Structure formats: structure tokens, C-alpha cells
Amino acid sequence: MVNPKTTADPAGLLDPALDDLGVTLHDGGGTLRVWSQAADSVELVVFDEGDLDWSIAAEPLQRQARGVWQIDTELLRPGTRYAVRVAGSTAVGNMFNPQTLLIEPYSKGLVSGGFADWRSVAVDTTFDWGGVRKPRVPLDRTVLYEGHVKGMTKRHPDVPAHLHGTYAGLAHPAMIEHFLDLGVTTIELLPIHAFASEPRLLQLGLCNYWGYNSLNFFSPHAEYATEAARREGPDAVLREVKGMVKLLHEAGLEVVLDVVYNHTAEEGIGGPRTSLRGLDNRAYYRQTEDGAYIDVTGCGNSLNTSTDAAARLVLDSLRYWADEVQVDGFRFDLAVTLGRDADHTFTPEHPLLRAIIDDPVLADVKKIAEPWDVGMGGWQTGNMGQGWMEWNDRYRDRVRNFWLSDIDYARRASTAPVGIGGFATRLAGSSNTFSAERGPLAGVNFVTAHDGFTLRDLVSYDVKHNLGNGEQGRDGADTNRSFNHGTEGPTDDEWILATRRKAMRNLLGTVLLSAGVPMLTAGDEFGRSQRGNNNAYCHDSALTWLPWQHAPWQEDLYAHARRLLQVRRDNPALRPVRFARPDEAIPSASVMEWYDEHGDTMSGERWTNPAHRTLQYVAASTPETEAFNRILLVVHGNESPIDVTLPDVPGVTRYVSLWTSAEEVPSEPGSVHVPGGIVPMAATSMHLFRAE
């Protein structure tokens, strides 16, 4: 039972008094509604379009119900540059300054007058979608592809130079061809909400490249627009974003946004006062009684979603992007912060989290949580509740361990530290993490993400190499579960290089053949490197831009990724919707059987014995919308080759080879093997068959 005294009241969060905040344009002008419970006065300031330092008018807003201030004025028209000024008490926790020009939180566009000097813009949001609809890719067919708008296109030779690094460039036919040829379905973009670089980074000559430092939750980041759109103004920037979404949708590709609602670019007290701090600091940010910030994000401040106005700001932003911009889903950075109540304790029944799941505008969008933050009780993997998908860090760590750090350990200690049981649980959908009601599709399976080593660096470096970040190597994770396979970084040793390539194929194969929703990081399909930097958030350079000129081995790796995605599409047994139950037919589940290298049913001892890290995994679909299908996946997790006897499974007369990680170049599928037949398995390798 949720204590109503420690959480926002759902009725308050959805109170009509909080509707229509921001600017609403209409004939003859516009209406501005701003929330500030503690303010004594709120003023609209309008600026000359060509000189953002020249204010041409100022008018007061009038207090309405529930802390809302409102003005109806002819000054607000499409293209109007404006700001708000707020005055109030100097009591502890407040940060009012009636001279500070503030970003209006619901702004649909921003223009910059210099560092920490912004003007909101009244934007014409009209756009012709031409009847294009959202693709609505089913979860079991979803393959996420996480990438950076600028980084994906900045160096692409087939994208015109004037589109490099832009929204329009991302929707260029050359990029769409790559996405479709690879076989991904859903492009998950690093933040495109307007953001700013931290002063500390600017002093070092660096920048916040990733964008996890939001200025505003409604305005798109203008620097990703083409030069022509930026010159034309925020209306054109928004149209370019919508045009990108429209073209990707026409190609059948979804767009998911990584959204950062847990904190803002105002940092800790003493940081830039650009918006929420000057509007109502006590209400918008988590604080102690004496006004000190409670930082559960590690970024200086934490949005206080236990207040109705802050929670409503997040909900309204999501509605805007899902409806007005037609995006297909959201990945919530540090989602646990959003679910903390007035006592700063996480609850999956937090009114904001419930509202996100229950809101009809958001009903069909994908909702992906990063299920942790850095506060007390911040690690909540598996606990987000019905309707959420979650980044599965337990999956990431176990898979990295199995193929990398366990192998490193075995080289030094003659045997791996653990058996194959934990790995098998992850392969089968992490039923020990996600409830039967939520099923395997609650988990987003990944081994790399924007944050951390790339796939290539994961198999090439034992330690991070982050000196270029300006923090003397203190930043970035120290525990990476990586393995350099004998030499740190670049090498000419062909044996090491070949072993690394096979390790990459094993990691890709595991992610794309596991039950759950797979996520690839852009560039991993062809083995890009960041030279061992596992926290490249501050580099807008060739270090982070995707390279599109590839060596032959990179083309071979891409061919493996493409093949794996094809066999995933073709074999529903690999992508169950539900967990199976013993002696019960569950629609769209996969019934799983496990065998050892001799073709015998796995014994309890074999699951945990580190000397026997070989299993055969048979998954048979339970048809609901697709034809019956059955696969056999053989996994061998030791560095000694082994002969495997294929299991004699009732109803199976042959096994047709579909893919193996042992090959440098994927061969055409089709070689046939019989139950009881012998298949040689190379050291640390996988082999997938269709069972017929």
C-alpha cells in the first residue's frame, strides 16, 4: 500500500488546472501558462527577433488556481522570442531572482544568446504527416539499435556533406538502407532534447557530446539540425525532426528517444540558473530542509517528481513527443529517480510511473527503463513493474563474464570460476529477474551501450583508457568484465586478433539469439573502437563518430550480425513472448530442453561444474500467430575444442545448420546433421541449428 503522504496524489498530477501549460497560439496572439507555487510575481519578457538582448515588451502574468500563472497577449505569435522573470521569497530553498531571464519549461523551441543565456520561442508546430503512421513493431520482433544522431552520419561517405551529423542525414536513404539491410527495427537515439555542456567541460576544451544534460524537455537540440534549418529558426528545426521521423516510419523503422528527466543542466546550487531553479527551486528539485540538494543522479540535482507540477512536466513532455512528434517510445535515463516519493524512496507504484503506463496517449509507445540511479536503494533491475521494459544489467554482466572474464580466469587458473547455469538462465529470458506476468520481453538484452566499452574494445582492453577526458582517469567504470586476450589494445598478433574476432561473434550471437528484446550499439556490427575509452561522453570527434570505411574483417563481422538478425526473424522459437510452464501449453512461449555435450539431459551437477561449460539448448515454439518452429543452440564455453553429440529429441529427424561463430565468414545455411551425429565445436564457440 502506497502511503499517500509520501507520494504525489494521482488526482493532483492529472488535475485539469495543470492543463495547457506553456504557450498556446491562437488568432490574434497567444496564451502563456506557467507554474510556480511559491512565486510572488511572474513576468513575460519579449525580445527583438534580431537582437536577443533587446527586450521590446514586458507584461505581468496573473495568478490562477494551483500555482498557475497566465497571460493572454497579442505579443505571442509564431517566432516570438521570449523569457519569463520570477520574483519571490528569499526563504531557505528558494532561488528567485527577478532579474534572471528564464527558459519557459514548456518551450517548443530555443535560441541561444550565449552561455546560459537562452530565449524561448513560440513555435508553429503544424506539419503534414501525409498519412504516414507509426510502424508499431511487436515487441518480440523488436531489435533496438542505439546510436547518436551526429555520430552515426558525420563520416558517412554516401550522406551529402551538408547533411552530415543532422536529423535529415539520419533519414537519408543511405542510412535507411543500412538499418534495413542489417535488420534492426527500432532506432534508439541518444538525447535530442535541447541540452548544454557543463562549464567544467568547456574550460577543458571539451563538450557534452552524448547530451545527458537537458536544458528543456520539449525543444529539440538545434545543433543537430541542418544549417539551413538553424538559420530559418526553431520552426524549421522542429520540422526537420518530424521529417526524420516521417521518413524512418515510411521505411518501417521506429524511433525511440533516450530521455533525461532525472536531472537538468542547472547542476548543483551555484550552477547555471536557466529555468526550473529560478521558477520554483524548492518544488522542482529534491532538497533537505536546509536547502541542500539531494543528488541521486550524480549530476548535481534531482528532479523532484513527488510534486505534481514536476511530475506533470515529465508526463506532458512524453505526450508531446509521442503525439506531436510521433516518436515510438522512450528510454528513461536513471528511471529510478522518477519513481522516488517525497521521502526519496523508490516505489514502482509512484503516481508518475503509473501515469506513464496508464496514459492513453502513451499506451502504444515502448517504455524502456534504465532501472537504477546512484541513490540509496537505487538498483531496481526487475522491479519496474508491468508495462515497462528494462535494461538488463544482470544479463550484460553474466554474458560478459561467460565469454570474457571467465576465460581470462581459466587461462590463469586452469578452469573457469563458474559453470554454465547462470549463463543459460540469461539466454532463456532471465526468468529469475522478470516475473511470469511480465515475461522475457520485459528485458532488454545488451552487452554494450553508449556508456562503456564498444564491442571491439571489450575484447581488446583489460582496463579503461580515459585520460583524454580530463579527469586523470577517475571517470568511467573500473569493472568492465572485459578481456584483452593477451595484449592490451592494438596488436599485430594474428592469433590474438582471430580470438578477439570470435569473441565478438560469440557476444553478438548471444545477444541476438537470447529470449528478450535485443539491443545493439551503433558501430558494433562492424567492430568500431574508441581506443579503450569507456566514457567518451565528452568527445565530439572521430573518436566517437562511426567509421564507414571498413577492413575485410569488419565486413565479415557485419555479415555475421546480418545473418543473426535474419535467423532471429525466421525462427519464432528464439523470441518467445511468454515464459513456458511445466505441463501447460502457454501461447507464444518456447518450451526449453537442455542437454550436455553427450546429448544427455543436463544433470544438476553439470549446471554448476566449471569444468563442463557446454550445453545444448532446444527451444520449441508454442504457435499462436506463427507456424511451429524448433531450434537447437549449442554453446561451448571452454578454450579446448570438443565433439558434441546432437540430442535425440522426440519428433526431430534432422538438424539444419543456420549459423556458427567458429567461421570467420558465415557460410550459407543448410548443412544437415542427424540426431546422435557428432558435431565438432571449436574453442569458445556457438552453433545454431533448426530442428526439423
Side-chain angles (χ1 to χ4, degrees):
M1 180 75 177
V2 178
N3 183 350
K5 295 182 179 180
T6 60
T7 60
D9 175 10
L13 170 59
L14 302 176
D15 189 332
L18 297 179
D19 288 351
D20 301 318
L21 293 174
V23 169
T24 302
L25 296 173
H26 46 74
D27 291 343
T31 299
L32 172 63
R33 287 166 54 81
V34 175
W35 185 90
S36 178
Q37 185 69 55
D40 292 334
S41 66
V42 179
E43 186 177 41
L44 166 68
V45 185
V46 175
F47 295 85
D48 180 78
E49 184 173 344
D51 185 349
L52 298 180
D53 292 324
W54 181 16
S55 62
I56 59 175
E59 293 189 1
L61 280 69
Q62 302 302 313
R63 185 185 285 275
Q64 310 291 307
R66 289 209 65 199
V68 173
W69 298 76
Q70 179 172 319
I71 185 174
D72 297 288
T73 175
E74 295 180 355
L75 294 171
L76 290 170
R77 298 178 180 273
T80 298
R81 272 66 171 157
Y82 69 99
V84 293
R85 289 193 292 227
V86 184
S89 165
T90 58
V92 171
N94 290 336
M95 299 287 284
F96 294 114
N97 185 330
Q99 303 306 312
T100 303
L101 296 166
L102 301 172
I103 296 169
E104 186 266 297
Y106 282 70
S107 306
K108 307 304 188 297
L110 294 178
V111 289
S112 174
F115 174 74
D117 186 21
W118 300 86
R119 304 293 179 263
S120 299
V121 180
V123 171
D124 178 1
T125 60
T126 57
F127 182 80
D128 182 8
W129 289 98
V132 175
R133 304 290 185 184
K134 296 183 180 183
R136 302 197 189 284
V137 179
L139 275 187
D140 68 304
R141 291 185 170 271
T142 297
V143 179
L144 298 163
Y145 184 85
E146 186 204 39
H148 190 284
V149 168
K150 183 174 185 178
M152 283 191 279
T153 63
K154 180 64 177 175
R155 301 173 72 186
H156 200 299
D158 297 328
V159 173
H162 71 284
L163 299 182
H164 280 170
T166 67
Y167 300 116
L170 189 67
H172 186 272
M175 293 303 302
I176 289 175
E177 180 183 359
H178 175 72
F179 300 144
L180 295 179
D181 182 70
L182 177 59
V184 296
T185 68
T186 305
I187 313 305
E188 182 179 310
L189 299 177
L190 268 65
I192 68 166
H193 288 173
F195 64 87
S197 292
E198 297 86 339
R200 175 186 60 81
L201 290 176
L202 296 175
Q203 291 169 1
L204 292 171
L206 300 170
C207 67
N208 190 316
Y209 172 67
W210 286 350
Y212 292 87
N213 203 41
S214 302
L215 272 170
N216 175 266
F217 299 147
F218 289 81
S219 302
H221 192 62
E223 291 184 15
Y224 295 157
T226 56
E227 184 179 351
R230 294 199 305 272
R231 282 200 306 267
E232 190 175 340
D235 290 15
V237 171
L238 179 58
R239 286 196 300 272
E240 186 172 318
V241 174
K242 291 180 177 180
M244 171 193 72
V245 174
K246 179 180 177 180
L247 289 171
L248 291 171
H249 282 179
E250 283 182 329
L253 294 163
E254 294 183 313
V255 179
V256 166
L257 302 185
D258 198 332
V259 286
V260 187
Y261 295 119
N262 56 80
H263 76 282
T264 75
E266 292 185 304
E267 303 185 32
I269 294 174
R273 178 168 42 201
T274 54
S275 187
L276 303 182
R277 178 174 291 143
L279 277 167
D280 199 324
N281 183 61
R282 175 63 87 178
Y284 277 114
Y285 294 121
R286 295 187 179 276
Q287 301 172 44
T288 60
E289 289 299 319
D290 63 2
Y293 277 4
I294 296 171
D295 180 11
V296 298
T297 68
C299 300
N301 64 62
S302 304
L303 195 70
N304 186 9
T305 55
S306 70
T307 67
D308 296 329
R312 183 64 178 268
L313 176 65
V314 173
L315 185 64
D316 286 346
S317 171
L318 294 169
R319 290 167 165 170
Y320 172 77
W321 288 95
D323 186 28
E324 181 66 39
V325 191
Q326 289 287 290
V327 303
D328 304 277
F330 304 95
R331 180 266 186 187
F332 293 80
D333 183 64
L334 301 183
V336 168
T337 299
L338 304 183
R340 289 184 180 271
D341 60 22
D343 291 332
H344 319 298
T345 301
F346 172 77
T347 169
E349 295 303 316
H350 189 285
L352 175 58
L353 300 185
R354 291 307 321 159
I356 291 170
I357 295 301
D358 296 338
D359 192 288
V361 176
L362 304 176
D364 294 324
V365 302
K366 292 177 166 68
K367 306 166 189 75
I368 305 167
E370 183 182 41
W372 53 79
D373 66 14
V374 301
M376 290 290 291
W379 187 58
Q380 293 291 335
T381 305
N383 296 329
M384 291 300 296
Q386 193 75 17
W388 290 93
M389 302 156 64
E390 301 180 34
W391 272 25
N392 190 349
D393 57 320
R394 297 181 182 182
Y395 177 97
R396 175 200 63 200
D397 294 348
R398 175 59 68 184
V399 172
R400 287 186 180 189
N401 281 349
F402 184 81
W403 291 119
L404 299 174
S405 56
D406 286 1
I407 303 303
D408 179 23
Y409 184 96
R411 285 191 183 183
R412 292 178 281 107
S414 76
T415 187
V418 297
I420 203 167
F423 175 85
T425 300
R426 300 301 165 194
L427 188 69
S430 297
S431 61
N432 61 346
T433 301
F434 303 109
S435 66
E437 292 73 22
R438 298 179 68 192
L441 298 179
V444 173
N445 296 330
F446 68 106
V447 291
T448 65
H450 66 276
D451 187 4
F453 281 142
T454 67
L455 182 68
R456 181 176 172 184
D457 289 354
L458 196 63
V459 304
S460 305
Y461 293 91
D462 278 355
V463 296
K464 64 187 181 184
H465 295 264
N466 293 2
L467 289 178
N469 297 356
E471 298 186 44
Q472 291 76 52
R474 292 188 299 266
D475 65 304
D478 292 313
T479 302
N480 296 285
R481 296 174 168 84
S482 59
F483 180 32
N484 66 22
H485 290 86
T487 297
E488 186 74 357
T491 180
D492 293 327
D493 188 310
E494 182 50 41
W495 183 85
I496 291 176
L497 291 173
T499 306
R500 288 175 176 176
R501 292 193 295 269
K502 179 151 59 71
M504 284 190 278
R505 296 193 294 270
N506 285 329
L507 291 164
L508 280 176
T510 303
V511 169
L512 296 177
L513 301 179
S514 292
V517 178
M519 184 183 80
L520 298 179
T521 304
D524 278 353
E525 69 270 30
F526 45 73
R528 82 174 183 97
S529 174
Q530 289 179 170
R531 301 198 298 273
N533 191 320
N534 76 347
N535 191 34
Y537 76 103
C538 54
H539 295 279
D540 183 0
S541 68
L543 181 72
T544 52
W545 304 335
L546 266 60
W548 291 97
Q549 304 295 329
H550 302 144
W553 74 264
Q554 292 177 294
E555 298 291 348
D556 295 339
L557 183 64
Y558 176 83
H560 276 279
R562 186 174 179 272
R563 169 69 57 76
L564 285 161
L565 284 164
Q566 180 67 54
V567 298
R568 183 178 182 87
R569 286 194 299 276
D570 292 345
N571 293 274
L574 291 168
R575 39 185 176 82
V577 174
R578 302 175 183 90
F579 290 124
R581 296 194 195 107
D583 304 318
E584 187 176 350
I586 303 296
S588 294
S590 288
V591 178
M592 301 167 186
E593 301 174 43
W594 307 89
Y595 302 90
D596 63 20
E597 65 268 32
H598 306 299
D600 298 326
T601 299
M602 284 283 283
S603 65
E605 186 273 337
R606 284 298 181 109
W607 287 113
T608 57
N609 189 334
H612 295 282
R613 286 162 49 97
T614 305
L615 67 76
Q616 302 188 71
Y617 163 49
V618 175
S621 69
T622 308
E624 186 175 18
T625 60
E626 299 180 76
F628 174 75
N629 172 243
R630 183 158 40 191
I631 60 92
L632 165 67
L633 179 62
V634 186
V635 177
H636 177 53
N638 284 327
E639 285 204 293
S640 298
I642 191 172
D643 287 338
V644 168
T645 302
L646 299 181
D648 189 0
V649 177
V652 174
T653 59
R654 65 176 194 165
Y655 296 102
V656 180
S657 177
L658 300 178
W659 173 82
T660 175
S661 67
E663 298 174 339
E664 289 278 1
V665 181
S667 61
E668 288 301 314
S671 64
V672 176
H673 305 262
V674 297
I678 303 297
V679 172
M681 293 291 294
T684 54
S685 64
M686 307 173 73
H687 199 148
L688 177 70
F689 302 86
R690 185 173 61 249
E692 299 179 343

